[in-house]
Amino acid sequence: MENKKIKIGLIGLGTVGSGVYKTLGTFNNIEVVKIAVKNKNKKRDIPNLDESLITDDPYEVVNNPEIDIVCELIGGMEPAYDLITKAIENGKHIVTANKELLAKRGVEIFNFAEKHNKVVLYEAAIAGGIPIIMPIKTILAGNKISKIEAIINGTTNYILTKMDVQGASYDDVLKEAQELGYAETDPTGDVEGFDAAYKITTLATLAFKKRIKFENVYREGITKVRAEDMKAANDLGYKIKLIASAKLDENGRADVRVHPMLVSKDSTLAHIDYVTNAVSLSGHPIGHITLSGPGAGEFPTASSVVGDILAIAAELGTTDYLLPMMRCNHEELADCINILDTQNKYYLSLNAKNNKGVIGNIGNICAECDISVESIVQKNVSENNTADITVITEICKERNMQNAVKAFEESGFINNVNSLIRVQV
């Protein structure tokens, strides 16, 4: 398409969409010809925005015969799914940042795109401005990736970092994060781990070349993490992070999950703070690498979106089958391991009566549940003669740990099971 401008349609002009529009204005071979928004009358801080491009009907974008590439930047399931499939049907290539849609209906979208010989690129959907999708598909394509550990939600990482630095409670830091705009008014998608779970679903599918079903991803948020857990973790040589992880066992089964984790201070991920994201990959022959950077924001995310646009634009008119390496080409469904059948190390915080034999009783329950204890530390005997006890276990089965927690809750000597958090091994 020499000397011909590539025509772009944007669906969404929020934080990311604004960054994309501003960035595309610096390229002479790209022209934005239509932008769909929810509210046409909203005042936007975008210099030289051509108001004639704005519509509140997104179908004016997907049905526009002029447009070569549609960028879907509104998120959510509907109308995003219908808009993307309609755009593909109308001969447009797609760039999206929609992690939820990819996690839940990615198979349908990629199959539909392949049927119509169109490309769907989504670098911005996983880790904002960090390049991870294209590297896995291209320069790392010769590797057998067996493990991923990632911090891929800036809101939760910000909250946990502030809790760690300030010694503050989850509720206090969440309120502060909302006031600063780092957390939504309804923070459920972030703090309960949904956002990270969407992202690790797609990332694991790519890395393992097997399709991961979202419903098979274990998810646990950060709402139960306490300031006391942060202090205890530090004393033990750890930091607490919300980790999205995926690994293959020796039989090729996938263990994919999101939950808080005690991460060793010797680990790179322990030092990824505030809104920074990071993805660590382990495989052969590369060994172990970590990519880190801004996981959200106007221009970091726009960087990934624009990179995808330019990758498609470079091939338009040069071939009948664009970007073969970037297409979804795996059909096998991964056999996923239930969390109860996984093996983990655990941090357990208990509040117990300060009586003789309590430590021994804790050890007995662990032994009965086939759990070996690495350490037990008793601290802070209170005025009402109760004590906080921290237990670190050896590696054991999740099912056994849950049985132990139930036994502690039903015992006469434990007042409360304060926390149960898995430990990085």
Side-chain angles (χ1 to χ4, degrees):
M1 285 198 164
E2 195 177 347
N3 299 326
K4 182 181 181 299
K5 284 197 175 186
I6 307 300
K7 304 295 176 69
I8 308 296
L10 299 182
I11 301 175
L13 198 60
T15 300
V16 177
S18 297
V20 170
Y21 180 81
K22 292 171 188 174
T23 305
L24 287 177
T26 64
F27 292 89
N28 294 328
N29 64 327
I30 304 283
E31 182 184 359
V32 177
V33 297
K34 209 68 183 169
I35 305 169
V37 299
K38 202 173 196 176
N39 180 4
K40 281 180 71 172
N41 301 317
K42 181 181 176 181
K43 183 71 178 167
R44 291 175 171 84
D45 183 24
I46 302 176
N48 306 315
L49 175 63
D50 183 351
E51 298 289 345
S52 69
L53 305 181
I54 305 291
T55 176
D56 55 10
D57 178 7
Y59 289 92
E60 283 190 34
V61 174
V62 300
N63 292 326
N64 187 324
E66 238 193 314
I67 289 171
D68 303 298
I69 303 168
V70 167
C71 295
E72 180 274 306
L73 304 170
I74 54 174
M77 297 301 293
E78 290 295 353
Y81 177 82
D82 190 62
L83 290 167
I84 285 174
T85 51
K86 180 61 71 176
I88 291 169
E89 207 171 54
N90 289 339
K92 286 90 172 68
H93 298 283
I94 305 295
V95 173
T96 180
N98 195 331
K99 60 256 179 178
E100 181 181 3
L101 184 60
L102 290 172
K104 293 179 177 177
R105 301 192 73 176
V107 174
E108 296 165 68
I109 288 171
F110 292 124
N111 287 345
F112 191 77
E114 194 61 27
K115 180 182 169 186
H116 289 81
N117 191 20
K118 296 298 165 217
V119 177
V120 178
L121 298 186
Y122 48 96
E123 189 68 67
I126 307 298
I130 304 172
I132 190 69
I133 306 304
M134 198 167 284
I136 287 176
K137 285 281 203 174
T138 56
I139 199 68
L140 296 173
N143 284 266
K144 291 191 183 302
I145 296 171
S146 57
K147 185 178 180 181
I148 304 165
E149 284 189 332
I151 294 171
I152 43 180
N153 181 270
T155 299
T156 50
N157 203 41
Y158 178 86
I159 291 170
L160 291 174
T161 303
K162 293 289 276 188
M163 287 177 67
D164 185 39
V165 170
Q166 296 178 351
S169 71
Y170 166 80
D171 289 332
D172 287 346
V173 175
L174 173 62
K175 185 179 177 186
E176 179 188 331
Q178 287 171 319
E179 287 169 354
L180 292 170
Y182 287 125
E184 302 284 348
T185 306
D186 178 4
T188 305
D190 293 315
V191 300
E192 294 294 356
F194 285 100
D195 178 81
Y198 297 145
K199 293 170 178 176
I200 195 64
T201 299
T202 300
L203 190 54
T205 294
L206 275 173
F208 299 156
K209 300 180 175 66
K210 295 179 181 180
R211 286 177 170 164
I212 306 294
K213 295 183 80 169
F214 176 70
E215 52 265 38
N216 291 333
V217 176
Y218 176 79
R219 177 190 52 79
E220 186 181 317
I222 65 166
T223 56
K224 294 178 182 176
V225 177
R226 305 170 307 140
E228 295 88 344
D229 299 321
M230 286 290 184
K231 185 177 185 313
N234 269 295
D235 291 345
L236 292 162
Y238 295 95
K239 296 289 185 181
I240 297 177
K241 299 290 184 181
L242 184 71
I243 300 294
S245 69
K247 63 182 177 182
L248 294 176
D249 70 5
E250 61 277 8
N251 298 313
R253 297 181 305 161
D255 173 9
V256 188
R257 47 168 111 164
V258 172
H259 55 65
M261 184 181 282
L262 269 70
V263 177
S264 169
K265 289 180 183 178
D266 294 333
S267 163
T268 303
L269 293 183
H271 305 285
I272 303 299
D273 291 330
Y274 299 101
V275 294
T276 302
N277 280 200
V279 180
S280 291
L281 303 174
S282 299
H284 180 76
I286 191 68
H288 181 84
I289 61 169
T290 300
L291 300 170
S292 68
E298 180 179 7
F299 288 111
T301 309
S303 166
S304 292
V305 173
V306 172
D308 281 346
I309 290 171
L310 295 176
I312 296 171
E315 298 228 330
L316 283 173
T318 67
T319 175
D320 293 330
Y321 194 75
L322 274 67
L323 298 167
M325 287 190 77
M326 297 306 298
R327 300 196 184 209
C328 180
N329 52 13
H330 43 273
E331 298 296 329
E332 184 183 353
L333 191 63
D335 179 13
C336 288
I337 305 170
N338 187 294
I339 189 70
L340 290 174
D341 296 321
T342 63
Q343 302 259 5
N344 307 280
K345 186 173 179 175
Y346 298 88
Y347 155 90
L348 180 67
S349 173
L350 304 168
N351 181 263
K353 294 179 172 62
N354 186 37
N355 297 338
K356 291 177 183 177
V358 167
I359 297 292
N361 288 335
I362 291 171
N364 288 337
I365 284 181
C366 287
E368 287 165 8
C369 294
D370 198 23
I371 297 168
S372 294
V373 172
E374 182 181 288
S375 67
I376 299 182
V377 178
Q378 179 175 318
K379 286 185 177 179
N380 306 327
V381 178
S382 63
E383 291 176 1
N384 62 358
N385 204 37
T386 65
D388 287 329
I389 297 171
T390 299
V391 179
I392 299 291
T393 74
E394 300 281 4
I395 294 173
C396 59
K397 216 170 210 183
E398 172 86 17
R399 192 183 306 275
N400 294 347
M401 192 70 241
Q402 295 299 338
N403 288 338
V405 167
K406 188 176 179 184
F408 287 132
E409 289 173 339
E410 292 174 352
S411 73
F413 61 90
I414 298 296
N415 298 318
N416 193 41
V417 177
N418 295 322
S419 302
L420 178 68
I421 305 175
R422 295 164 193 88
V423 179
Q424 184 185 51
V425 291

